[in-house]
Amino acid sequence: SARLERIGVKTMGQLAALSQADEEWLYKTFGIDAEILIDHACRRRPRFKIPLSGRKLGLCLFALFTAVGVWNLLVYYPGTGMYDTLAIVSRPITQMSNQHPWFYCSGVRLLVKVVLALGGGYELALVLCSVIQILLTSGVYTYLLLWLKDKGTHPVVWLLAVAFYAFYPILGLYMVTLFKDIPFSLLLTVWVPVLYEYWQTKGECLKTKRYQN
């Protein structure tokens, strides 16, 4: 290219050296084609890239997981539960339990009482609980996958992670299961990246706007 020759770049070796010294100039000059030039000069195989990023990617991921959750809600309508689910729903709001966290059970029971007071039934209450849990789960999965992408996870590995969280059957079932372990598992899922960044930065991450806000 004449533009490269004008700055004295005539060989692949010189182009490779330029990519190391001033890669930004190459992208400003050649746009997306700069990546092809750099890969060719450095004898690298072009890597597959995720075509979306940022907010658009987050919205797409959230929509995917929400759609999976809605599908499971239709299959298992109005949602599923366990033996503990009966205890969570039926006991009075003020009744304490060593097995079931009070603040979680109180939230569920309050929602059930509101639905019943408005003329609905237990079926509608379970549907609403499932919808809330679907949205919560979708948000956590989206956060985790965006975090993995920001950390430079290989695109193939990243796509496998997306497929796992979206299509592994038991995870879809858990989206619509009224059980205390589900939201607490989601909380731990969010907690892992936070602890990793704290360890990686030796606590400096807490000074950033992301954590201070």
Side-chain angles (χ1 to χ4, degrees):
S1 173
R3 283 175 290 184
L4 289 174
E5 291 180 357
R6 281 198 295 269
I7 61 172
V9 177
K10 298 181 180 180
T11 66
M12 287 293 111
Q14 292 173 332
L15 179 57
L18 176 62
S19 70
Q20 297 294 323
D22 196 359
E23 186 180 87
E24 185 178 352
W25 180 87
L26 288 172
Y27 277 99
K28 287 183 178 179
T29 305
F30 297 100
I32 195 172
D33 293 332
E35 184 171 0
I36 300 175
L37 291 172
I38 295 170
D39 288 340
H40 186 60
C42 299
R43 297 181 180 181
R44 297 186 309 208
R45 293 182 178 180
R47 288 204 318 170
F48 169 75
K49 284 192 171 183
I50 308 299
L52 297 174
S53 61
R55 182 175 297 179
K56 289 183 178 179
L57 179 59
L59 290 174
C60 289
L61 288 171
F62 187 82
L64 170 63
F65 295 129
T66 301
V68 171
V70 171
W71 168 256
N72 279 276
L73 179 58
L74 294 175
V75 172
Y76 298 106
Y77 184 88
T80 64
M82 302 180 181
Y83 177 78
D84 287 348
T85 304
L86 299 176
I88 292 172
V89 174
S90 61
R91 289 179 180 175
I93 292 179
T94 56
Q95 183 174 347
M96 303 293 287
S97 172
N98 293 329
Q99 183 177 358
H100 307 295
W102 178 84
F103 55 92
Y104 170 74
C105 297
S106 297
V108 173
R109 293 168 191 166
L110 180 61
L111 177 61
V112 172
K113 286 184 176 296
V114 170
V115 171
L116 294 177
L118 294 175
Y122 283 99
E123 181 177 302
L124 177 59
L126 185 55
V127 169
L128 290 177
C129 288
S130 296
V131 170
I132 292 172
Q133 198 159 269
I134 287 171
L135 296 176
L136 180 63
T137 304
S138 299
V140 170
Y141 288 173
T142 298
Y143 167 80
L144 178 63
L145 289 164
L146 289 177
W147 181 81
L148 288 173
K149 187 175 184 297
D150 288 342
K151 290 299 179 182
T153 305
H154 191 283
V156 174
V157 176
W158 187 85
L159 287 174
L160 288 174
V162 173
F164 172 78
Y165 282 108
F167 304 116
Y168 191 61
I170 193 65
L171 296 181
L173 177 60
Y174 282 159
M175 280 186 169
V176 295
T177 300
L178 182 60
F179 187 51
K180 66 181 186 302
D181 290 4
I182 309 303
F184 287 98
S185 297
L186 294 174
L187 180 62
L188 289 176
T189 302
V190 174
W191 191 234
V192 168
V194 173
L195 288 178
Y196 176 85
E197 290 194 356
Y198 182 85
W199 167 79
Q200 187 182 44
T201 64
K202 296 182 179 180
E204 292 298 317
C205 65
L206 299 180
K207 300 178 182 179
T208 61
K209 291 182 179 179
R210 178 180 181 183
Y211 288 98
Q212 290 180 352
N213 293 337

